[in-house]
Amino acid sequence: MNNLPKLDFLYFNPELTVENYMDKREIYYNIVGWDERHFDDYTKACSFDELIYLMVYIHKDKYPRTRFTHGISLDSELHNLLTYSNKNGRIISENIYVYNNFTRKEVTAMEVQYHNEEYPDEETIEKYWSSEYFMQNLFFEFNKEVPTHIIDKALEGKEYSKTKKDDILLYEVEDSPIASLEVTKNSIKLNINKDKVILYVPIY
């Protein structure tokens, strides 16, 4: 795929300082704001093959900011799977966002699962931030067949295996933020390797 948008913004991470806590949004948009907008426009208008390629490609080598879904759906519903406090006083939750009203005609379902940890007050003061979160998996269902040759193309340069069981083609990827890809005829689920997660400064 030769016409990808600029992707550097997906990996841009302001330093965690008290100054950046106050100015993080301005810092981010002054440097990469237009790239984010162009990326959203691309996900809305690119071909289906390009969409599948981009989904895999941006997660292949480095864990990105969770921006991929923003241009594809107009709203979502949060479903809490689990909430508890750990021994350090953090509130831990596992949540799934179920998306609706898609901008792309090929998409019939989309879900994203996140792990979230809210800091207690004393840790918030120490870190300048109140929580951390990362994507655990990303699921898409389509009204057309998933092009597995595009997945292979997106994974070029990585060591990976493919195993077929029943109606699922399982890709397992080495040394990557992608732990595995579960592919059926009309769906794809991208599972994240927790060891490769980057905790980005939230921009809002």
Side-chain angles (χ1 to χ4, degrees):
M1 302 295 171
N2 298 319
N3 61 337
L4 292 178
K6 290 183 179 180
L7 302 175
D8 289 349
F9 84 94
L10 289 169
Y11 315 102
F12 180 76
N13 206 19
E15 184 182 357
L16 286 168
T17 65
V18 65
E19 293 83 6
N20 287 358
Y21 181 82
M22 300 302 296
D23 299 331
K24 61 185 182 296
R25 186 177 179 86
E26 182 178 351
I27 292 169
Y28 177 82
Y29 281 107
N30 280 348
I31 297 174
V32 296
W34 281 110
D35 294 340
E36 179 186 278
R37 292 173 178 85
H38 293 157
F39 181 86
D40 289 349
D41 290 342
Y42 180 90
T43 59
K44 293 175 186 177
C46 67
S47 71
F48 182 62
D49 283 5
E50 287 169 334
L51 185 72
I52 299 300
Y53 182 91
L54 185 67
M55 174 185 176
V56 177
Y57 182 78
I58 63 175
H59 294 90
K60 179 177 71 171
D61 293 313
K62 188 175 181 180
Y63 178 81
R65 289 184 172 276
T66 53
R67 189 70 196 180
F68 180 73
T69 59
H70 285 226
I72 299 172
S73 174
L74 303 177
D75 57 38
S76 64
E77 300 173 2
L78 185 151
H79 300 267
N80 177 253
L81 302 177
L82 177 68
T83 299
Y84 65 94
S85 295
N86 70 6
K87 62 182 180 181
N88 297 319
R90 290 186 178 186
I91 299 174
I92 313 298
S93 59
E94 311 283 348
N95 299 307
I96 285 185
Y97 287 83
V98 179
Y99 290 80
N100 306 288
N101 298 321
F102 304 111
T103 59
R104 297 198 58 109
K105 64 182 183 300
E106 308 97 335
V107 179
T108 58
M110 180 169 70
E111 297 180 359
V112 188
Q113 183 170 332
Y114 290 98
H115 175 90
N116 186 77
E117 300 189 16
E118 295 182 29
Y119 303 153
D121 290 345
E122 60 272 16
E123 193 173 7
T124 297
I125 293 170
E126 175 189 349
K127 292 179 179 291
Y128 309 124
W129 248 261
S130 60
S131 65
E132 61 189 52
Y133 71 94
F134 61 88
M135 186 179 77
Q136 295 171 295
N137 57 68
L138 168 62
F139 172 81
F140 275 96
E141 188 174 74
F142 308 104
N143 59 15
K144 59 193 305 182
E145 190 168 342
V146 176
T148 55
H149 69 285
I150 295 296
I151 297 175
D152 292 329
K153 184 176 181 60
L155 287 174
E156 284 180 358
K158 285 294 183 185
E159 295 288 333
Y160 64 94
S161 62
K162 291 194 290 186
T163 307
K164 187 70 179 291
K165 185 175 182 181
D166 298 327
D167 64 341
I168 296 177
L169 178 61
L170 179 67
Y171 288 76
E172 294 180 288
V173 188
E174 296 183 17
D175 190 29
S176 171
I178 303 173
S180 63
L181 296 160
E182 301 172 41
V183 183
T184 70
K185 181 179 179 182
N186 298 106
S187 71
I188 180 170
K189 183 179 182 182
L190 187 155
N191 299 302
I192 290 294
N193 176 359
K194 184 180 178 180
D195 293 336
K196 296 290 186 177
V197 163
I198 296 171
L199 298 175
Y200 288 100
V201 171
I203 306 298
Y204 44 72

